[in-house]
Amino acid sequence: MLNLCKIHKEDRLMAYKNLEACIRDLEATQQLIRVEVPVNANLELAEIHRRVNQAKGPALFFNNITQCKFPVATNIYGTNSRVEYLFRDIIATFEKLSRLRADPSALMSTPAMALSLIPRLYRTWPSYDRWNQDILRQQCKVSELPQIKSWPDDGGSFITLPQVISFPPNSQKLSEANIGMYRIQMSGNDYLSDQELGLHYQIHRGIGIHHQAYNATDQEFKISIAVGGPPSHALASIFPLPEGMSEVLFTGLLGNRSYHYCRNDGYFIPTDVDFCITGIVRKNQLKKEGPFGDHLGYYSLKHDFPVLAIKRVFHKKNAIWHATVVGRPPQEDSAFGHIIHLLTRQLAAQEFPGVKSIHAVDEAGVHPLLLAIGSERYMPFRDRKPEEILTQAFHILGKGQTSLSKYLLIAADGFDELPQITNTSDFFSYILERIDWKNDLHFITKTTIDTLDYSGEGLNAGSKLIWACNRNPLRNLQSEYQLPPISEISKVKLVQKGILALQIDPFKADHEEQFKIAKLCERLEKCDLTGFPLLIFTDDAAFCAQNFSNFLWTTFTRSNPSTDIYGIKPFIHQKHWGCEGSLIIDARKKPHHAPELITDPAVDKKVDDLMFHHPELKKYLP
């Protein structure tokens, strides 16, 4: 009894030793339910997860996966409040660390704060595990793992919360390890069963740098893929760390305990995880990976990606498979964004001088839309206009994860009261009241965008657009509109003050499309749209205007700035594009866009019946 109490106390202090300890704590605090009835990993599990997640329900422990001996845990990070609970201890510590990084002199002014961090830093130092190597004592095949397929047109089953660990050539230094979360295809396509896995990693990722370095050598590119372990392991693998910071050490810091590891046959093995797949990345071989229902709300399609030749699949005794389901946001991974924002909010000014705050808009798929608040610290005697915030915007688009952003809306602080950056609707209103479309748009063309964004000219290819706002109010936004009948417009809906959704004919990929849009813009010149600076061309105006989330999703996931931005009375002056009237974004579906995610009606019906007969799941029926 004493030993159990000790374990439970450790769990409540957030120093989770493993995934089992986390699950035990969530269950003890009524934040998890066990699903004992048989559930198929093919589509059924994902549909149950989505329904519970959308209702902001508890974590799920599936104890009876058909044709699989391993249980599955999902929705562990399913709500903002739960992820704050899991990392409750580190939030306060991060505030102290941020203060010390921003102002090292605080060591002298508040020595007690600095001294309080020493025990944490000591106990979170990485530890080589000589004796506790339980994970190496059991092995299985990939086909024996839970074969979770989330969406009907997925190319197979996928690992959705992997921790992919790689080192550069000639190095086993922990400080040089890269731990990243890159999805792994386990079955389907041309992958040889139990012999190969598909590795999907995007541009700007650390593993890509390692892969390139190995291509110049004759060494084998060995990697490890861990699944499970304490919650900190998964979070650390997606955390936007500054270059040079050890991801192994950071994982321990997040988890409030040492990162334990060992080595086997030249592979790095975390000993606190539940599973670890080892293998060799084939240097000069690519195979089709995908499709996969992804976090923008669309399928990412088949593309060539590296192949892993599987060596071994290790697992601990009583291993738990940790998984999630992604799709149109918000989903479980939205809570990752929330906790990352909490932990890094004080670091923005250090990473980006002059920038007060940054907010990646989850409803728009994160990378398509980024909001920022900057500052104009120079030339106070000049008229208000964007100057320094432009340099800050280019800095944001040139560094790390924020470089994948497609639309960046930045406003200057210090002149009038700005809304909270996380209040996206009010932030848009603030900008639309002040922005000058003649001067404040700045395009970056022929550049890279997120791999998962199919709005551009090809894989990773597209454009970016900065809206820079530092002006006194230029207009009053309106909600009452009177548009004369225009044959090309079948429906008009108000999104919110200042924004109209205009339903027009579906996009046609022919040479006449640009001519038709130009003519429609000319007709709109004759309308009084003074209080509506932003117009959206859409296939479904009612859906776009139903709520602000729909507006954000359709507008910013379905448009490429250089090809889909129009305007009333447009002009080009010295290669600068602007417009005298309203800005127009063509957010219609295009032939090159990926299909959106739709569930299987037959699976929906089966899950309806399953949840109806499960007392704790019944409340989450739609």
Side-chain angles (χ1 to χ4, degrees):
M1 177 64 70
L2 180 62
N3 192 37
L4 289 175
C5 290
K6 182 179 179 181
I7 291 173
H8 186 64
K9 182 179 179 182
E10 180 188 72
D11 294 351
R12 295 299 296 270
L13 287 172
M14 210 283 291
Y16 298 118
K17 182 179 179 181
N18 48 40
L19 181 58
E20 183 181 0
C22 172
I23 288 171
R24 191 164 54 241
D25 184 31
L26 291 178
E27 187 170 30
T29 53
Q30 288 78 53
Q31 298 183 76
L32 177 142
I33 59 175
R34 292 179 179 264
V35 182
E36 303 285 355
V37 296
V39 174
N40 198 318
N42 182 19
L43 301 179
E44 292 179 12
L45 182 149
E47 181 59 23
I48 295 170
H49 168 102
R50 280 190 293 268
R51 294 182 184 189
V52 174
N53 175 266
Q54 292 302 306
K56 300 188 183 303
L60 297 168
F61 187 82
F62 295 92
N63 204 34
N64 192 351
I65 303 298
T66 57
Q67 298 181 334
C68 182
K69 64 181 179 180
F70 297 109
V72 176
T74 77
N75 210 35
I76 296 291
Y77 317 98
T79 66
N80 290 350
S81 59
R82 187 153 63 248
V83 81
E84 287 183 31
Y85 175 82
L86 293 174
F87 297 99
R88 56 199 177 275
D89 189 36
I90 192 62
I91 293 173
T93 301
F94 248 71
E95 290 177 355
K96 297 176 183 177
L97 290 170
S98 297
R99 284 179 58 194
L100 289 176
R101 184 180 176 190
D103 181 15
S105 66
L107 280 169
M108 302 301 295
S109 59
T110 55
M113 180 186 72
L115 289 172
S116 70
L117 294 172
I118 292 176
R120 171 183 287 274
L121 294 174
Y122 176 77
R123 69 172 172 266
T124 59
W125 201 256
S127 174
Y128 185 83
D129 225 332
R130 292 182 180 276
W131 312 113
N132 180 26
Q133 298 183 6
D134 175 60
I135 191 169
L136 299 180
R137 297 190 177 98
Q138 292 83 214
Q139 295 186 39
C140 65
K141 297 178 180 179
V142 165
S143 58
E144 296 177 294
L145 301 173
Q147 302 294 302
I148 298 175
K149 182 178 177 182
S150 299
W151 296 96
D153 291 333
D154 280 356
S157 56
F158 287 82
I159 305 175
T160 51
L161 284 177
Q163 305 147 38
V164 183
I165 307 161
S166 63
F167 291 84
N170 302 310
S171 175
Q172 287 293 310
K173 293 181 180 178
L174 299 187
S175 60
E176 296 182 354
N178 179 76
I179 306 178
M181 188 174 287
Y182 320 112
R183 74 169 186 252
I184 310 294
Q185 186 163 350
M186 302 164 65
S187 66
N189 297 352
D190 294 328
Y191 298 114
L192 300 178
S193 179
D194 292 322
Q195 298 179 50
E196 297 176 334
L197 296 175
L199 293 173
H200 179 113
Y201 57 80
Q202 303 172 44
I203 58 173
H204 303 291
R205 303 294 186 176
I207 191 174
I209 298 172
H210 290 174
H211 193 165
Q212 186 77 355
Y214 273 99
N215 283 346
T217 74
D218 58 359
Q219 300 175 43
E220 292 180 329
F221 183 17
K222 295 183 174 182
I223 68 168
S224 306
I225 302 170
V227 177
S232 54
H233 279 48
L235 178 58
S237 66
I238 64 167
F239 212 92
L241 292 179
E243 284 192 31
M245 184 170 184
S246 168
E247 291 175 317
V248 173
L249 175 59
F250 182 76
T251 304
L253 186 64
L254 274 181
N256 195 23
R257 68 187 305 273
S258 177
Y259 188 109
H260 293 263
Y261 69 96
C262 66
R263 299 189 188 277
N264 177 271
D265 193 23
Y267 291 95
F268 180 89
I269 312 288
T271 55
D272 287 335
V273 301
D274 291 73
F275 299 84
C276 189
I277 303 170
T278 62
I280 298 169
V281 181
R282 294 180 182 149
K283 297 179 186 176
N284 299 308
Q285 182 183 12
L286 302 175
K287 284 194 175 186
K288 295 294 182 185
E289 186 268 356
F292 178 76
D294 226 313
H295 71 261
L296 264 69
Y298 308 91
Y299 286 99
S300 55
L301 304 179
K302 280 188 179 183
H303 295 288
D304 289 333
F305 278 97
V307 179
L308 180 78
I310 300 167
K311 183 75 171 178
R312 292 186 177 88
V313 182
F314 297 107
H315 67 88
K316 62 181 286 188
K317 188 178 179 181
N318 301 321
I320 301 166
W321 188 256
H322 191 191
T324 189
V325 178
V326 294
R328 179 188 163 183
Q331 298 286 345
E332 183 180 3
D333 53 351
S334 300
F336 273 144
H338 171 73
I339 193 67
I340 289 172
H341 173 73
L342 281 181
L343 297 179
T344 61
R345 56 189 170 183
Q346 295 187 21
L347 299 177
Q350 299 167 47
E351 293 297 318
F352 305 105
V355 175
K356 303 294 185 66
S357 56
I358 295 176
H359 174 55
V361 180
D362 187 57
E363 295 96 325
V366 181
H367 288 141
L369 178 61
L370 192 68
L371 310 181
I373 296 175
S375 54
E376 295 281 359
R377 298 170 294 180
Y378 312 133
M379 303 296 186
F381 51 85
R382 292 164 62 144
D383 291 337
R384 285 186 67 181
K385 63 179 179 179
E387 292 183 307
E388 190 186 359
I389 59 171
L390 279 175
T391 66
Q392 294 159 9
F394 286 118
H395 191 180
I396 290 170
L397 292 179
K399 191 167 187 178
Q401 291 293 301
T402 55
S403 67
L404 294 175
S405 302
K406 185 169 60 175
Y407 287 87
L408 170 58
L409 281 58
I410 184 168
D413 192 18
F415 296 95
D416 38 25
E417 187 174 351
L418 272 165
Q420 287 288 328
I421 196 171
T422 53
N423 188 333
T424 313
S425 173
D426 286 353
F427 196 82
F428 262 79
S429 293
Y430 177 91
I431 286 184
L432 291 177
E433 286 173 347
R434 292 162 173 79
I435 197 162
D436 180 1
W437 299 132
K438 297 189 294 295
N439 297 292
D440 297 344
L441 297 174
H442 301 273
F443 289 84
I444 303 171
T445 61
K446 298 293 183 182
T447 188
T448 54
I449 60 174
D450 186 9
T451 305
L452 309 180
D453 191 331
Y454 285 86
S455 65
E457 305 160 29
L459 186 66
N460 291 132
S463 60
K464 304 179 188 295
L465 179 58
I466 298 168
W467 300 13
C469 178
N470 179 32
R471 298 187 187 276
N472 294 320
L474 299 175
R475 62 184 71 86
N476 292 317
L477 304 183
Q478 298 177 10
S479 56
E480 299 293 329
Y481 58 91
Q482 288 185 338
L483 290 183
I486 298 176
S487 58
E488 295 91 340
I489 300 175
S490 58
K491 191 178 293 182
V492 181
K493 290 290 183 179
L494 177 74
V495 175
Q496 70 170 26
K497 279 187 176 183
I499 307 175
L500 290 178
L502 309 179
Q503 185 168 315
I504 64 175
D505 291 340
F507 181 90
K508 291 183 179 179
D510 57 40
H511 65 280
E512 294 186 3
E513 187 66 32
Q514 295 284 328
F515 175 76
K516 292 176 184 176
I517 294 294
K519 284 294 184 184
L520 177 53
C521 290
E522 289 177 6
R523 294 192 183 191
L524 288 169
E525 285 183 22
K526 301 177 175 63
C527 304
D528 182 10
L529 292 166
T530 307
F532 297 95
L534 183 58
L535 309 177
I536 309 301
F537 288 166
T538 177
D539 301 299
D540 188 342
F543 176 82
C544 180
Q546 184 177 19
N547 52 57
F548 207 70
S549 177
N550 283 1
F551 156 73
L552 293 169
W553 184 62
T554 56
T555 300
F556 296 101
T557 63
R558 296 179 183 173
S559 63
N560 174 36
S562 64
T563 57
D564 295 324
I565 293 286
Y566 300 90
I568 293 176
K569 295 183 180 179
F571 65 87
I572 297 176
H573 176 66
Q574 296 178 350
K575 298 184 176 64
H576 175 86
W577 187 94
C579 59
E580 297 181 16
S582 303
L583 185 76
I584 298 170
I585 302 178
D586 183 359
R588 292 175 296 168
K589 298 176 186 176
K590 317 295 192 307
H592 60 279
H593 288 181
E596 61 190 271
L597 303 178
I598 301 172
T599 59
D600 183 331
V603 173
D604 292 346
K605 188 174 183 302
K606 188 172 181 179
V607 170
D608 284 343
D609 183 65
L610 186 153
M611 294 180 70
F612 182 80
H613 290 93
H614 191 293
E616 291 188 273
L617 290 178
K618 186 175 181 180
K619 67 180 76 171
Y620 301 108
L621 278 167

